[in-house]
Amino acid sequence: MATVTNWIDHLNKPAEEVVGAVYPGAGSSEGLLVIIGIVLWIGWHVLTAKSESEKLEKLARKRRSANDYKNNIANW
């Protein structure tokens, strides 16, 4: 690996003379991180939807009426 002593001269060279990326690991770890991020994002949506559906089903099973809050029902 070459050591760069003057970045201005190094970056002003024609593209054919500059070998490799400016920083190491360019393109390898970023793709993996994007894939991991997408998997986590989709997983979060699935878990959240499942949790919210369970809560709504639990409330629907109670069959509360519009006036039940007047009777001071716990866990409204």
Side-chain angles (χ1 to χ4, degrees), residues 44-62:
W44 178 81
H45 280 285
V46 168
L47 291 175
T48 302
K50 183 179 177 183
S51 172
E52 289 177 356
S53 294
E54 289 173 359
K55 287 180 183 178
L56 290 174
E57 287 175 9
K58 183 179 176 183
L59 285 174
R61 275 186 257 129
K62 290 182 178 181

Side-chain angles (χ1 to χ4, degrees), residues 11-67:
L11 295 175
N12 286 332
K13 291 180 184 178
E16 297 83 26
E17 293 180 20
V18 178
V19 178
V22 174
Y23 59 94
S28 60
S29 59
E30 287 87 357
L32 180 63
L33 289 174
V34 168
I35 291 171
I36 290 171
I38 290 171
V39 168
L40 290 175
W41 180 58
I42 291 172
W44 178 81
H45 280 285
V46 168
L47 291 175
T48 302
K50 183 179 177 183
S51 172
E52 289 177 356
S53 294
E54 289 173 359
K55 287 180 183 178
L56 290 174
E57 287 175 9
K58 183 179 176 183
L59 285 174
R61 275 186 257 129
K62 290 182 178 181
R63 295 182 178 243
R64 303 278 189 214
S65 70
N67 292 321

Side-chain angles (χ1 to χ4, degrees), residues 63-75:
R63 295 182 178 243
R64 303 278 189 214
S65 70
N67 292 321
D68 281 348
Y69 72 94
K70 294 177 183 176
N71 297 329
N72 195 18
I73 294 176
N75 295 327

